[in-house]
Amino acid sequence: MAERLVVIGGDATGMSAASQARRLKKPTELEIVAFERGHFASYSACGIPYWVGGTVDGPDDLIARTPEQHRERDIGLRMRTEVTELDLDRGRVRTRDLDGGGTESWTGYDKLVIATGARPLRPPLPGIDAPGVHGVQTLDDGQALLDTLRAAEGTKAVVVGAGYIGVEMAEALVARGYDVTVLDRGKQPMSTLDPDMGELVHEAMCGMGIETVRGAAVTGVRTDGSGRACAVTTEDGEFPADVVVLGLGVRPETTLAEQAGLPLGDTGGLLTDLSMRVRGQDAVWAGGDCVEVLDLVLGRTRHIALGTHANKHGQIIGSNVAGDYATFPGVVGTAVSKVCDLEIARTGLLEEQAKSVGLQYVTVTIESTSRAGYYPGARAMRVKMMAERRTGRLLGVQIVGREGAGKRVDVAAVALTARLTVEEMTALDLGYAPPFSPVWDPVLVAARKAAAAVRAAAG
């Protein structure tokens, strides 16, 4: 008799796990049932800001595989079905049919995959749940926001938070013709950068006509006579809004897991071993935005919500569920984004993170160009590099610049994974031609300067 695999969550991790398990196991060997509470499955949540801004048509353009295509591959994907309870002792999950009158039923499993993702952070403030206030995490969220934008009578938008989502959504709203104000508690936008690098992002946002209010402590959302959001209030003033977008980050969606007594880390994500099996469980795996992963530079687990990790987790889980073997060793914290034509990238640690674990370090910052200075189209970029003071081990890199800047961070990500020193990095054999870089690539220029700083600190 075939075993049954139950998957909770129909996006990157869940359906990657189901698809990989199906590649390795026939339907006569493994029955696969997946539950998704939304209207969409197997989609790119990272593309939502570009859908909202009109760069891509979506949502169809953002869908990798439809529910029908999954079912054709003998994966029993049940849409609009929410899992409401885990019964780990009896090996079953309780579900509710969201479009069928709320009918509830139990489904047994031999193996379980938890891929419940993350939820937008929504602080408990007055009016935060009013119509017109939107978090952006799923395609359903994106559709709801677009519906509000199409119905809005005005063109004032307030974005609360200036992390990746906040900045990307601010740009998308500008593209739709909105007057955008970004409210952020930090000194600079993009807390994933050190403040000196975040200043460049602030300058770019101002250049796009985005009003950025720094050090803003939001106290609530004011509503009009119909109960809709009409302004965001702070300790220092009020900002009119026809639509409000929350860009405060996300938290792991681990409500079910916590209720079932599964182990959670300091940031609320599920804890797994290298095979993505939930710690202390023989038949339960978890991956994607609902788990914590090992930061190979920081040396501890933390929550990092990225589609790249989620898809890898799914592949690894699917292999292990089907009896093969795969592991996920950890991450170095690489991310890249853009504001208009400004590319923003980082990998490894920020200064505050290094301080938090007691590392002593040196930092250097260099200015360079994306191509040979004499070649047409060369654009300026800034590279900041951090190295451990005594050993010279690379700890982190941040890059902000125009075309050709962002993906250079991948060189640093490989160096971090290999635990290279900045001295060793100076000898890397990187590709060179005037249309692609100066004769000394900006990353190598920063490595040379960092190596000199390490030697000076030791002397």
Side-chain angles (χ1 to χ4, degrees):
M1 184 177 177
E3 289 188 311
R4 177 183 288 161
L5 168 65
V6 166
V7 177
I8 307 174
D11 198 11
T13 297
M15 300 320 294
S16 291
S19 297
Q20 177 67 358
R22 176 55 71 229
R23 292 186 191 101
L24 299 174
K25 287 287 188 180
K26 299 176 181 178
T28 54
E29 300 172 303
L30 183 68
E31 177 191 2
I32 302 176
V33 179
F35 298 109
E36 168 56 45
R37 65 184 177 185
H39 292 88
F40 305 94
S42 293
Y43 57 85
S44 172
C46 302
I48 294 173
Y50 309 110
W51 172 28
V52 172
T55 303
V56 298
D57 291 334
D60 291 345
D61 288 352
L62 302 180
I63 295 173
R65 188 170 288 162
T66 66
E68 291 74 19
Q69 289 171 324
H70 282 298
R71 292 170 190 140
E72 289 170 0
R73 302 180 70 246
D74 292 306
I75 296 172
L77 176 55
R78 303 180 190 177
M79 302 298 294
R80 298 291 292 154
T81 306
E82 181 179 24
V83 176
T84 59
E85 184 181 349
L86 308 181
D87 185 346
L88 301 177
D89 293 332
R90 301 179 67 176
R92 59 180 188 168
V93 301
R94 186 200 294 269
T95 62
R96 179 170 63 236
D97 183 351
L98 298 178
D99 289 336
T103 303
E104 294 192 347
S105 60
W106 287 96
T107 302
Y109 66 81
D110 298 290
K111 297 175 180 178
L112 176 67
V113 175
I114 301 173
T116 45
R119 62 182 182 276
L121 184 61
R122 191 179 284 261
L125 297 173
I128 201 71
D129 294 319
V133 180
H134 295 269
V136 184
Q137 180 67 15
T138 67
L139 286 196
D140 289 282
D141 295 335
Q143 186 63 66
L145 173 58
L146 280 170
D147 291 343
T148 292
L149 295 176
R150 289 164 182 153
E153 297 181 358
T155 58
K156 289 187 178 298
V158 172
V159 177
V160 182
Y164 286 113
I165 293 297
V167 170
E168 290 174 355
M169 290 307 305
E171 181 180 357
L173 291 165
V174 167
R176 293 189 67 90
Y178 275 74
D179 298 321
V180 180
T181 300
V182 176
L183 306 177
D184 189 54
R185 291 187 68 101
K187 295 179 180 179
Q188 301 292 354
M190 301 293 287
S191 61
T192 51
L193 299 176
D194 287 327
D196 54 331
M197 300 294 280
E199 173 61 27
L200 300 178
V201 180
H202 177 247
E203 293 172 0
M205 293 172 69
C206 291
M208 293 175 62
I210 298 172
E211 180 184 1
T212 304
V213 182
R214 295 172 287 185
V218 173
T219 57
V221 176
R222 187 166 64 80
T223 57
D224 60 19
S226 66
R228 294 190 61 83
C230 64
V232 177
T233 60
T234 72
E235 292 179 351
D236 300 316
E238 181 175 284
F239 299 86
D242 301 297
V243 61
V244 179
V245 176
L246 302 179
L248 295 167
V250 298
R251 292 292 181 269
E253 179 48 85
T254 50
T255 304
L256 288 173
E258 185 176 15
Q259 290 171 349
L262 293 174
L264 305 182
D266 292 339
T267 55
L270 274 159
L271 296 176
T272 70
D273 61 19
L274 293 176
S275 72
M276 305 307 297
R277 193 192 309 261
V278 175
R279 295 182 190 177
Q281 298 292 316
D282 293 328
V284 184
W285 287 261
D289 293 355
C290 66
V291 305
E292 293 187 7
V293 294
L294 176 63
D295 186 314
L296 298 173
V297 187
L298 199 60
R300 63 190 184 198
T301 63
R302 64 188 183 104
H303 182 238
I304 303 177
L306 285 175
T308 51
H309 305 157
N311 280 282
K312 291 173 186 173
H313 293 170
Q315 290 283 311
I316 290 161
I317 292 170
S319 295
N320 290 320
V321 163
D324 206 342
Y325 174 69
T327 61
F328 185 78
V331 303
V332 293
T334 308
V336 64
S337 186
K338 63 179 283 294
V339 179
C340 196
D341 66 341
L342 185 73
E343 300 180 2
I344 306 156
R346 58 76 53 90
T347 188
L349 305 184
L350 305 182
E351 290 194 51
E352 284 300 319
Q353 291 172 322
K355 292 174 184 176
S356 73
V357 293
L359 286 169
Q360 294 189 9
Y361 58 87
V362 298
T363 64
V364 298
T365 302
I366 64 101
E367 307 284 344
S368 186
T369 56
S370 57
R371 302 172 179 176
Y374 57 82
Y375 193 89
R379 305 295 301 275
M381 75 172 69
R382 181 179 297 177
V383 180
K384 181 175 182 179
M385 185 170 289
M386 183 195 312
E388 189 174 12
R389 180 175 178 179
R390 181 175 59 84
T391 67
R393 176 171 65 101
L394 179 67
L395 295 178
V397 173
Q398 299 164 57
I399 303 175
V400 178
R402 262 67 188 187
E403 182 183 2
K407 287 296 283 181
R408 275 184 160 85
V409 79
D410 289 341
V411 174
V414 172
L416 279 167
T417 304
R419 297 181 64 85
L420 296 185
T421 66
V422 287
E423 187 72 50
E424 290 169 333
M425 287 182 66
T426 63
L428 290 176
D429 185 13
L430 304 184
Y432 161 69
F436 303 106
S437 77
V439 67
W440 277 92
D441 188 89
V443 173
L444 299 188
V445 174
R448 288 179 64 185
K449 190 171 180 180
V454 170
R455 291 193 295 272

